[in-house]
Amino acid sequence: MDIKAVKFRKDGFYTQPFVMGGEGGDFDQNIRYRGSLQNWLIDTGSEVILVDTGIPAGTPEEVPDENSFGFTGKDICTYMEAFEALGYKPEQVTKILLTHRHADHSGELKSFPNAKVYVNQDETDAAELQGLTNIVPVTYTDLVCPDGLPVRTGRTERPKPTDSRLLLIHKVMGK
């Protein structure tokens, strides 16, 4: 199995409260962590699975300032250009695991005609998903990782430090 980053932005940042969930705790807004928006491609050998599908083509870059909680980075290329640079075609994708409905995660869903889109059943009415006929509603629950940290899955709020993506992969791939 190969897991590859679909890199389409670089040189971004996220503030400590954003990264740590912003719920309680003593977080410092002035601490910033490097990061950029990227999504993932999983090639199992028998199917190609995407975790999220980036920002819609044509979305302008944000212009961060000192009050910005995050900056997804400067464009390197579009999501689809980054995807195709990995050597794949949209028709090869069989599943898309949508971590949540926001446009920076669901932007290119319509570009993958053969893929089933797995999404939390509580989010199937999202505007970003309207008109899609390949939606597979799934139910996620709050879980606890082996390290004891709680993981929120399939919710519309921003993912927590213990991101739910691997749990989504685990559930949909039957591992």
Side-chain angles (χ1 to χ4, degrees), residues 96-108:
I96 298 171
L97 312 178
L98 189 60
T99 60
H100 63 286
R101 68 183 183 190
H102 293 159
D104 60 332
H105 295 261
S106 63
E108 291 295 333

Side-chain angles (χ1 to χ4, degrees), residues 31-143:
I31 295 176
R32 293 181 174 187
Y33 300 100
R34 287 186 305 238
S36 297
L37 187 59
Q38 64 187 30
N39 299 145
W40 301 96
L41 180 146
I42 304 163
D43 186 338
T44 69
S46 60
E47 60 185 340
V48 177
I49 301 169
L50 299 177
V51 180
D52 294 332
T53 61
I55 294 174
T59 301
E61 290 180 13
E62 309 108 288
V63 180
D65 62 27
E66 67 277 356
N67 297 316
S68 298
F69 65 84
F71 170 53
T72 61
K74 299 172 187 169
D75 287 335
I76 300 170
C77 58
T78 68
Y79 176 87
M80 291 306 296
E81 290 167 342
F83 167 80
E84 290 170 356
L86 294 174
Y88 295 88
K89 295 182 175 158
E91 296 78 20
Q92 292 177 273
V93 176
T94 56
K95 294 178 182 170
I96 298 171
L97 312 178
L98 189 60
T99 60
H100 63 286
R101 68 183 183 190
H102 293 159
D104 60 332
H105 295 261
S106 63
E108 291 295 333
L109 288 176
K110 294 178 181 170
S111 298
F112 300 95
N114 300 329
K116 291 183 179 179
V117 179
Y118 293 82
V119 63
N120 183 324
Q121 67 182 4
D122 295 338
E123 297 189 337
T124 57
D125 63 346
E128 296 88 344
L129 305 179
Q130 296 311 300
L132 294 174
T133 59
N134 53 344
I135 298 293
V136 178
V138 291
T139 302
Y140 308 124
T141 59
D142 287 350
L143 301 171

